[in-house]
Amino acid sequence: MESLERLRALCLALPETTERLSHGEPTWFVRDRKTFVMFADHHHDDRLAFWCAAAPGVQEELVAEDPERFFRPPYVGHRGWLGVYLDVDVDWAEVSEIVADAYRRIAPKSLVARLP
């Protein structure tokens, strides 16, 4: 699945990131403890997507701006996490930034300092 492979490459390129299944879906962790991105392969609906940590206000802004591409995910949406659809025309440069921002929200400052 191309979307999963591209998302996986973005996540695993970040410092001290690991992948394992969580709730039956590929999920990426910082230092094998804190989740920053979760793949959602038709997990709670009929859409292909991922869920990720986001800065306060980002979820609301992006969902209001483009609900065809962004959504409030179940379970973690109330904490401000962002849902990003992968079954649309994906802007992978934008996804790369969203993933990096999710990492910055979760990773300790010492790891964030290692980002370019």
Side-chain angles (χ1 to χ4, degrees):
M1 174 181 306
E2 181 185 349
S3 293
L4 173 57
E5 293 309 316
R6 291 184 81 169
L7 184 62
R8 176 177 283 133
L10 292 173
C11 292
L12 293 178
L14 298 165
E16 297 187 39
T17 297
T18 55
E19 176 184 338
R20 69 176 183 270
L21 290 180
S22 178
H23 301 89
E25 301 281 10
T27 303
W28 293 273
F29 298 83
V30 177
R31 291 191 170 157
D32 207 32
R33 290 195 334 258
K34 290 189 167 190
T35 302
F36 71 102
V37 172
M38 300 173 64
F39 191 66
D41 185 2
H42 306 90
H43 192 71
H44 292 280
D45 56 23
D46 60 350
R47 304 289 306 267
L48 184 66
F50 71 91
W51 307 346
C52 65
V58 169
Q59 176 205 96
E60 294 83 2
E61 179 183 327
L62 291 178
V63 171
E65 183 181 297
D66 196 348
E68 298 300 314
R69 294 177 44 227
F70 302 105
F71 65 100
R72 183 179 194 258
Y75 308 112
V76 293
H78 70 280
R79 294 189 321 201
W81 277 48
L82 176 66
V84 181
Y85 290 120
L86 295 173
D87 57 3
V88 296
D89 186 21
V90 178
D91 178 344
W92 285 101
E94 181 181 47
V95 168
S96 178
E97 287 299 315
I98 289 169
V99 166
D101 288 346
Y103 180 87
R104 286 183 186 94
R105 295 282 310 152
I106 301 301
K109 289 179 180 160
S110 60
L111 293 182
V112 172
R114 292 169 46 189
L115 297 177

PDB file of all heavy atoms in Angstrom, residues 1 14 18 40 58 101 106:
ATOM      1  N   MET A   1       0.848  -1.176   0.000  1.00  0.00           N
ATOM      2  CA  MET A   1       0.000   0.000   0.000  1.00  0.00           C
ATOM      3  C   MET A   1       0.893   1.238   0.000  1.00  0.00           C
ATOM      4  O   MET A   1       1.635   1.471   0.949  1.00  0.00           O
ATOM      5  CB  MET A   1      -0.911  -0.041   1.224  1.00  0.00           C
ATOM      6  CG  MET A   1      -1.738   1.180   1.401  1.00  0.00           C
ATOM      7  SD  MET A   1      -2.792   1.123   2.862  1.00  0.00           S
ATOM      8  CE  MET A   1      -3.662  -0.390   2.625  1.00  0.00           C
ATOM      9  N   LEU A  14      12.450  10.251  11.395  1.00  0.00           N
ATOM     10  CA  LEU A  14      12.608  11.142  12.541  1.00  0.00           C
ATOM     11  C   LEU A  14      13.394  10.442  13.661  1.00  0.00           C
ATOM     12  O   LEU A  14      13.313   9.228  13.806  1.00  0.00           O
ATOM     13  CB  LEU A  14      11.232  11.589  13.028  1.00  0.00           C
ATOM     14  CG  LEU A  14      10.444  12.379  11.973  1.00  0.00           C
ATOM     15  CD1 LEU A  14       8.984  12.485  12.360  1.00  0.00           C
ATOM     16  CD2 LEU A  14      11.065  13.754  11.767  1.00  0.00           C
ATOM     17  N   THR A  18       9.995   4.574  16.492  1.00  0.00           N
ATOM     18  CA  THR A  18       9.759   3.150  16.273  1.00  0.00           C
ATOM     19  C   THR A  18       8.331   2.946  15.802  1.00  0.00           C
ATOM     20  O   THR A  18       7.475   3.816  15.975  1.00  0.00           O
ATOM     21  CB  THR A  18       9.987   2.335  17.558  1.00  0.00           C
ATOM     22  OG1 THR A  18       9.170   2.869  18.603  1.00  0.00           O
ATOM     23  CG2 THR A  18      11.447   2.366  17.989  1.00  0.00           C
ATOM     24  N   ALA A  40      -4.763   4.715   9.966  1.00  0.00           N
ATOM     25  CA  ALA A  40      -6.171   4.324  10.130  1.00  0.00           C
ATOM     26  C   ALA A  40      -6.662   3.746   8.803  1.00  0.00           C
ATOM     27  O   ALA A  40      -7.119   4.482   7.927  1.00  0.00           O
ATOM     28  CB  ALA A  40      -7.018   5.515  10.563  1.00  0.00           C
ATOM     29  N   VAL A  58      -4.939  23.842  15.532  1.00  0.00           N
ATOM     30  CA  VAL A  58      -4.634  23.385  14.169  1.00  0.00           C
ATOM     31  C   VAL A  58      -5.753  22.501  13.631  1.00  0.00           C
ATOM     32  O   VAL A  58      -6.189  22.663  12.492  1.00  0.00           O
ATOM     33  CB  VAL A  58      -3.273  22.651  14.121  1.00  0.00           C
ATOM     34  CG1 VAL A  58      -3.075  21.937  12.792  1.00  0.00           C
ATOM     35  CG2 VAL A  58      -2.139  23.636  14.367  1.00  0.00           C
ATOM     36  N   ASP A 101       5.484  18.181  12.498  1.00  0.00           N
ATOM     37  CA  ASP A 101       4.857  18.971  13.560  1.00  0.00           C
ATOM     38  C   ASP A 101       4.310  18.071  14.667  1.00  0.00           C
ATOM     39  O   ASP A 101       4.416  18.405  15.852  1.00  0.00           O
ATOM     40  CB  ASP A 101       3.738  19.851  13.003  1.00  0.00           C
ATOM     41  CG  ASP A 101       4.259  21.022  12.187  1.00  0.00           C
ATOM     42  OD1 ASP A 101       5.474  21.325  12.251  1.00  0.00           O
ATOM     43  OD2 ASP A 101       3.443  21.636  11.464  1.00  0.00           O
ATOM     44  N   ILE A 106       5.288  15.873  20.486  1.00  0.00           N
ATOM     45  CA  ILE A 106       5.415  14.729  21.392  1.00  0.00           C
ATOM     46  C   ILE A 106       6.852  14.491  21.864  1.00  0.00           C
ATOM     47  O   ILE A 106       7.073  14.106  22.999  1.00  0.00           O
ATOM     48  CB  ILE A 106       4.872  13.450  20.695  1.00  0.00           C
ATOM     49  CG1 ILE A 106       3.402  13.634  20.291  1.00  0.00           C
ATOM     50  CG2 ILE A 106       5.065  12.220  21.558  1.00  0.00           C
ATOM     51  CD1 ILE A 106       2.445  13.936  21.435  1.00  0.00           C
TER      52      ILE A 106
END
